[in-house]
Amino acid sequence: MDSINHSRNKLLRLFPAPLEPVALEGLYLNQELHRLGTRSQPFVYTNFIASLDGRISLEHPRKRTRIVPDTIANPRDWRLFQELAAQADALLTSGRYIRQLAQNVAQDILPVSEKPEYADLIQWRQSQGLAPQPAIVVISASLNIPIPEILLNANRPIYVATGSEADPLRVQELKAKGIQVIVAGKGLRVQGKTLIAALGQEGFTTLYAIAGPEVLKTLLADQSLNRLYLTHALRILGGESFDTLLEGERLNPVADFNLHSLYYDTAAEGEPSQVFAIYEPAANAAKISS
Ligand SMILES: NC(=O)c1ccc[n+]([C@@H]2O[C@H](COP(=O)([O-])OP(=O)(O)OC[C@H]3O[C@@H](n4cnc5c(N)ncnc54)[C@H](OP(=O)(O)O)[C@@H]3O)[C@@H](O)[C@H]2O)c1
């Protein structure tokens, strides 16, 4: 990702009032998410960028996998993604993302980026007494996760979270590589509440889910998400093979949110305008009757 254009660092805060220009850099870092959780109740947040027609990914033109479209990914949203990562004790990622990393089609190595434009974030972690990089938690049922050497050698703790009936041979193989395996659910699947409680016991208080629709569903189904950061690139993409925020069965109860804040980022030439929205779960989610 190119560095952001500092001459247009400003965006417009639409909510809460008053309406006023605010700086992009520091926008999410200043929220001090690392102070909101405890070991008994870690603070859990996630982030997506979507097109106006709700696509979070489209089919890669050559590889048989879906990735975030480069028609919506952009350095300004990426800066905020990095600011969210900078505040985390651990990143929750997916088995599928690790397979994409191994295939060389993943969006990037896991944050916080060590590129010069994000050096302030690495320094910020240091100044707050946080580990140099967040730990990595790979959520997987299959345990078909070829963790690349670059991650194994990155000097950051790696965990795999899986269900109690996961393949014991694969569990052994992971442990032999120094990876810690957390059993966080019955059967093959990980359950949101069990996972978050187990990570709290590991001493983590601030958890950033950077995976996709299945992990989001795992968290929402267990009322385990505290904040949703959602960027809408104001562009319609179409396309037949895509992912959207949530897939599969309807949630019951449904997940309601309140608006925490909203920012408008006007377009640079050739790029879409975008809105950065932050949502918090509402307590009064309704059960669906049909
Ligand atoms: N636009 C955006 O902001 C954005 C953000 C994130 C992702 N995406 C897109 O979303 C798509 C899916 O991403 P993703 O695969 O990283 O995320 P995902 O749909 O959340 O995760 C899928 C994988 O995670 C594992 N998994 C998820 N929930 C699980 C559970 N409860 N128990 C056990 N395993 C579980 C499974 O791994 P195993 O198969 O190993 O069992 C599954 O294949 C991709 O196309 C990605 O590009 C877009």
Side-chain angles (χ1 to χ4, degrees), residues 117-239:
E117 57 265 39
Y118 304 111
D120 63 310
L121 298 179
I122 305 273
Q123 277 164 15
W124 180 89
R125 283 185 71 84
Q126 242 173 7
S127 72
Q128 302 298 314
L130 300 175
Q133 286 283 345
I136 293 166
V137 181
V138 182
I139 302 175
S140 173
S142 72
L143 298 190
N144 171 19
I145 38 178
I147 300 192
E149 287 295 314
I150 188 170
L151 265 191
L152 290 172
N153 298 331
N155 202 20
R156 53 202 287 195
I158 303 180
Y159 293 78
V160 167
T162 192
S164 59
E165 286 174 22
D167 183 333
L169 270 181
R170 287 190 166 164
V171 169
Q172 282 315 318
E173 282 167 15
L174 290 166
K175 286 184 174 169
K177 290 182 180 156
I179 293 165
Q180 301 183 61
V181 177
I182 293 180
V183 174
K186 298 192 183 95
L188 288 173
R189 310 278 307 163
V190 167
Q191 273 137 8
K193 265 203 177 95
T194 317
L195 174 65
I196 303 309
L199 293 174
Q201 277 172 10
E202 288 295 316
F204 299 133
T205 65
T206 316
L207 302 172
Y208 180 23
I210 57 169
E214 256 189 80
V215 168
L216 179 59
K217 189 164 195 179
T218 302
L219 296 171
L220 288 177
D222 260 0
Q223 286 90 43
S224 293
L225 185 75
N226 299 104
R227 205 174 274 182
L228 167 65
Y229 290 83
L230 179 57
T231 300
H232 267 113
L234 304 189
R235 186 174 259 180
I236 293 182
L237 301 180

Side-chain angles (χ1 to χ4, degrees), residues 48-58 69 72 213 230-239 242-247:
F48 287 89
I49 183 166
S51 65
L52 261 191
D53 48 342
R55 271 84 172 138
I56 63 162
S57 74
L58 285 174
I72 57 170
L230 179 57
T231 300
H232 267 113
L234 304 189
R235 186 174 259 180
I236 293 182
L237 301 180
F242 61 89
D243 289 294
T244 186
L245 223 50
L246 216 65
E247 284 146 30

Side-chain angles (χ1 to χ4, degrees), residues 83-111:
E83 289 193 4
L84 291 175
Q87 298 172 72
D89 287 332
L91 306 176
L92 312 186
T93 186
S94 72
R96 188 147 61 139
Y97 192 78
I98 296 297
R99 292 193 286 279
Q100 285 192 334
L101 262 184
Q103 276 183 284
N104 239 349
V105 288
Q107 204 175 9
D108 206 352
I109 190 73
L110 293 156

